[in-house]
Amino acid sequence: MKIGGSLGKWSNEAKGAVRDAGQMADQFYKNTIGDITDSLGNISQCLASLDKIRIRVMERTIEYHTAALRVLIRSNYVEQEIIETVWHMVKNDIRRSPEPAIYHLPNPKSSVGAKKIDIESHVFPKNKYPSILVHGMGYNASLDDAYSFYRDFEDHVDVFSDSRYADHDIYLVSYDTELTDESDSIIRAAIELLLGMIPGGDLEPLVLGVFWRELERRASLTGDYIFPFLKRIKQEVPTALGFAVTHSLGCFTLASASQKLLSENRNNKIFSKWLCMAAALPAMPLLKQGVFR
């Protein structure tokens, strides 16, 4: 693939920097093994230890290369322009519906009895305050995965089993945020096509950077899906005493829906608290432009 302009310059520089890091790591490995071998000579009692030393040095070399590449990415040497280009190369191949759903969890101690709700016709239990949980990346679109996020949260903080929250009603948002092996392979192939083969390189940060663009799209679509649910809470539950629990991409998802709600009326309030963990939040202008759709 031939790349011109500033991107061609960045591609060549990024490729060269990554390869330089790899060559430095390889030379480090060879020099270290050579020094150890020269020191040990052919002393038989030391030969058994040499292979263990070789493996340990190889592990350290991989760590060195990985760390060097991550420094390049964090310092923006591997530019956002690279991620954007790979994203445009693969976006149609990794695009999937998030398959969003909302499950009502009547029993906070078990997923038995949980049911997918119809947003338009769902009847909110009286004297209950809706509370919503939205997971982040790495989950299938299923009740089991949505419940596993809730269970992880509850096992650590023990909120909903507390009698003080017996009047809170639990809703779990489910959507597909999993990086499949197929998508991973497609993204890696595009990165290698763009930058060239990077022997021993850690491509994980670049892969996740590209896949995050797809996750932003899915989160935005899921935000559109849950928006009517939030609107109904505002209209039909007189007191906003429930709360929201979100993690990472889940914060982006709920924020996307909340922005739409606030654009209708800045005084709209549906939750008393929002526990926003490791937040990934959308920028209002980008959502207005619809760049994630």
Side-chain angles (χ1 to χ4, degrees), residues 96-101 103 116 135 138-146 173-178 218 222:
R96 293 213 311 249
S97 167
E99 301 179 12
Y103 292 92
K116 179 180 176 179
H135 63 72
Y139 292 80
N140 287 319
S142 68
L143 169 61
D144 287 345
D145 271 33
V173 175
S174 165
Y175 62 122
D176 181 8
T177 60
E178 185 180 33
R218 295 186 196 181
T222 303

Side-chain angles (χ1 to χ4, degrees), residues 23-42:
Q23 289 171 2
M24 289 171 62
D26 292 341
Q27 193 60 47
F28 166 80
Y29 170 78
K30 291 175 183 176
N31 290 345
T32 304
I33 290 295
D35 291 343
I36 293 172
T37 304
D38 289 342
S39 299
L40 293 178
N42 292 317

Side-chain angles (χ1 to χ4, degrees), residues 246-266:
T246 60
H247 175 249
S248 187
L249 186 71
C251 304
F252 188 114
T253 303
L254 185 61
S256 299
S258 300
Q259 284 181 352
K260 293 185 68 174
L261 195 69
L262 291 173
S263 68
E264 292 188 349
N265 185 337
R266 295 192 62 82

Side-chain angles (χ1 to χ4, degrees), residues 46-58:
C46 294
L47 293 179
S49 300
L50 181 58
D51 196 53
K52 292 182 181 179
I53 295 172
R54 179 187 60 78
I55 293 172
R56 180 57 59 87
V57 173
M58 184 171 61

